[in-house]
Amino acid sequence: QPIAAIGRALDVEVSLAFGAGDMKRLEVLLVRGVRGALLLSTTLSAVIIVLGSWLFTHWTAGQITFNPLLFGILVAAGTCGGLTVVPLALLTGSNRHVAIAPLYLALCGALPVAIAYLALRDHGLIGLAYAILASEFLFMILVFRRTLAKCSFTLGMFVSAVLGARDGAARGAL
């Protein structure tokens, strides 16, 4: 939820920049937003992983056994979902999200249900967790590919900009 707040905060800014045809502003919003989401998601994931066993035990009053593998897979799925928030905000704020709807339904609807059924049957909850992770990861890739193409970023340029000290270190003008 904290990462979703970043996406919601960007909605209006993205709409204004897109409406004005200001692609440079969209690129800046994408880089800064993903940088913030990356920092927040990795920080929250680290805290959750460190405190996970203790939190889980207290939350369930010790009635359910903590499974570190299951927990780690679900944290990874949550991180993928968190990292998807900002590029998805760029697509929705520029009204370009409808194009990914059929793929979303396939990757986050039909495919995971089929995989989850098979995985749960053969591998229990761990298989189900892997199905969730696969769905989140595939959707994250889909959203990033669409968003980077919209902003004319290559993957290398984008990663460099997000990890760089300045906005758009690879683009100069950001």
Side-chain angles (χ1 to χ4, degrees), residues 70 112-132:
L70 177 64
V113 169
I115 293 172
Y117 173 76
L118 296 172
L120 184 61
R121 185 186 65 196
D122 296 339
H123 304 288
L125 289 178
I126 298 295
L128 184 60
Y130 276 124
I132 293 168

Side-chain angles (χ1 to χ4, degrees), residues 23 27 30 90-91 141-155 158 171:
M23 292 306 291
E27 291 171 356
L30 178 64
L90 202 83
L91 293 176
I141 297 300
L142 168 70
V143 170
F144 267 100
R145 284 187 55 153
R146 296 282 176 138
T147 303
L148 294 181
K150 178 175 180 31
C151 289
S152 302
F153 268 120
T154 65
L155 181 60
F158 176 71
R171 302 273 289 196

Side-chain angles (χ1 to χ4, degrees), residues 15-151:
S15 293
L16 290 171
F18 182 75
D22 189 351
M23 292 306 291
K24 291 286 186 204
R25 180 73 181 143
L26 287 174
E27 291 171 356
V28 168
L29 290 170
L30 178 64
V31 168
R32 288 182 181 171
V34 169
R35 188 181 294 148
L38 181 63
L39 178 64
L40 189 55
S41 68
T42 54
T43 301
L44 290 174
S45 293
V47 168
I48 288 170
I49 287 171
V50 169
L51 299 177
S53 177
W54 180 83
L55 288 171
F56 188 84
T57 301
H58 284 77
W59 180 41
T60 64
Q63 298 299 310
I64 300 173
T65 304
F66 179 74
N67 183 326
L69 177 59
L70 177 64
F71 190 75
I73 295 167
L74 293 176
V75 169
T79 301
C80 289
L83 291 175
T84 304
V85 166
V86 172
L88 187 58
L90 202 83
L91 293 176
T92 57
S94 61
N95 202 26
R96 298 294 187 249
H97 59 292
V98 176
I100 65 169
L103 286 172
Y104 175 80
L105 289 174
L107 294 177
C108 297
L111 180 64
V113 169
I115 293 172
Y117 173 76
L118 296 172
L120 184 61
R121 185 186 65 196
D122 296 339
H123 304 288
L125 289 178
I126 298 295
L128 184 60
Y130 276 124
I132 293 168
L133 175 58
S135 172
E136 290 290 344
F137 183 76
L138 289 171
F139 186 62
M140 181 182 71
I141 297 300
L142 168 70
V143 170
F144 267 100
R145 284 187 55 153
R146 296 282 176 138
T147 303
L148 294 181
K150 178 175 180 31
C151 289

